[in-house]
Amino acid sequence: MTRKPTSGPIRNKESTKQKLLAAVGKILKNDGFTGLNVSKVALKAEVDRKLVYDYFGSMEGLVKEYLNNSDFYTANIDQSKEIIEQNRGDRGKDMLYHLLEDQLDSLIANEEMRKIISWGVCESSKVLEELNERRESLGEQFFSELTDEYFKGKDKNIRPVAALLIGGIYYITLIAHTNNGLICGVDIRKEEAQAEIKKTIKQIIEWAYL
């Protein structure tokens, strides 16, 4: 029986790639997207800067892989068909609520994820455009396969309902953690406020599906 190698070029490459990806996250968290460049990432990862080009082709390639691995919606995109099949029974109602609930929890807890959202709002780039296209592709699967037929001819449209809920979650989590901001007296950093927001999201979705 042949033993798997525990060291060598392949293992070292993967280890270095993970260091570089982690360095992107640390810089994004501490300095924002304006702090991302090859020199800073290599210094933070404690590796030669040429390895960014050797392993990812460019700084853009490195950032693209980081975003694809870190983004809330696209990280599990390979499982999307299976997830959709499991949620045909209620036309995606429960799935939509849990997606939004998980999004809220993730943005509250994860500063890197908030930085990704903020970055996407503040700057245009090919990498961010591709990330949004991946999100939209996943969303289109959800709507076209689970909700569109159900809402056809009704006086409610779940697409703008979901868009407003997602946009609201983005804003209340970003403003609270960036400028200590309250929205209508709600401080999303507090557990009781989070519970009220989740309850309200569920009420809105229940209303939309009536």
Side-chain angles (χ1 to χ4, degrees):
M1 182 175 178
T2 304
R3 294 179 62 186
K4 293 182 179 179
T6 57
S7 62
I10 294 177
R11 184 176 178 85
N12 290 339
K13 177 180 178 179
E14 287 306 311
S15 175
T16 301
K17 287 178 70 175
Q18 290 307 311
K19 287 181 181 179
L20 288 165
L21 290 167
V24 171
K26 290 174 183 176
I27 292 172
L28 188 62
K29 180 178 177 179
N30 296 326
D31 304 325
F33 55 86
T34 56
L36 289 174
N37 60 56
V38 172
S39 296
K40 285 187 177 180
V41 170
L43 183 63
K44 180 70 72 173
E46 299 181 335
V47 301
D48 192 316
R49 57 177 288 162
K50 76 180 185 65
L51 294 177
V52 172
Y53 302 99
D54 289 348
Y55 296 160
F56 298 97
S58 63
M59 184 64 195
E60 184 177 88
L62 170 58
V63 171
K64 180 178 180 179
E65 184 157 341
Y66 168 80
L67 292 174
N68 287 340
N69 291 338
S70 304
D71 186 64
F72 171 80
Y73 285 111
T74 62
N76 297 313
I77 199 167
D78 292 339
Q79 302 174 3
S80 60
K81 289 184 179 180
E82 180 182 345
I83 293 171
I84 286 173
E85 287 302 319
Q86 293 171 350
N87 286 274
R88 289 194 181 278
D90 67 352
R91 299 289 187 169
K93 180 171 71 171
D94 194 54
M95 177 182 173
L96 179 58
Y97 170 69
H98 286 295
L99 278 171
L100 294 171
E101 181 184 45
D102 290 346
Q103 180 199 46
L104 179 67
D105 287 340
S106 297
L107 284 171
I108 289 169
N110 191 325
E111 188 172 356
E112 285 181 43
M113 192 170 292
R114 294 196 301 273
K115 292 290 187 179
I116 291 173
I117 298 300
S118 179
W119 188 10
V121 170
C122 297
E123 183 171 302
S124 297
S125 76
K126 185 64 177 176
V127 173
L128 293 169
E129 182 180 331
E130 290 176 1
L131 177 66
N132 192 58
E133 287 174 356
R134 282 167 58 83
R135 289 177 183 156
E136 281 296 298
S137 175
L138 184 59
E140 188 60 35
Q141 278 186 276
F142 171 80
F143 292 119
S144 63
E145 297 190 32
L146 290 179
T147 70
D148 283 353
E149 187 62 30
Y150 177 79
F151 283 92
K152 186 177 181 180
K154 294 182 182 290
D155 63 350
K156 300 167 188 170
N157 187 339
I158 197 63
R159 287 178 180 247
V161 170
L164 287 168
L165 289 172
I166 292 169
I169 290 170
Y170 283 175
Y171 186 76
I172 61 175
T173 52
L174 291 178
I175 195 69
H177 287 87
T178 304
N179 292 307
N180 296 320
L182 303 181
I183 306 295
C184 300
V186 176
D187 186 346
I188 199 63
R189 295 165 297 183
K190 296 181 178 179
E191 290 186 6
E192 58 267 30
Q194 295 166 27
E196 284 298 315
I197 291 292
K198 290 175 183 179
K199 183 177 77 172
T200 303
I201 290 172
K202 192 163 191 175
Q203 289 171 336
I204 292 171
I205 293 173
E206 291 286 351
W207 162 82
Y209 273 83
L210 287 177

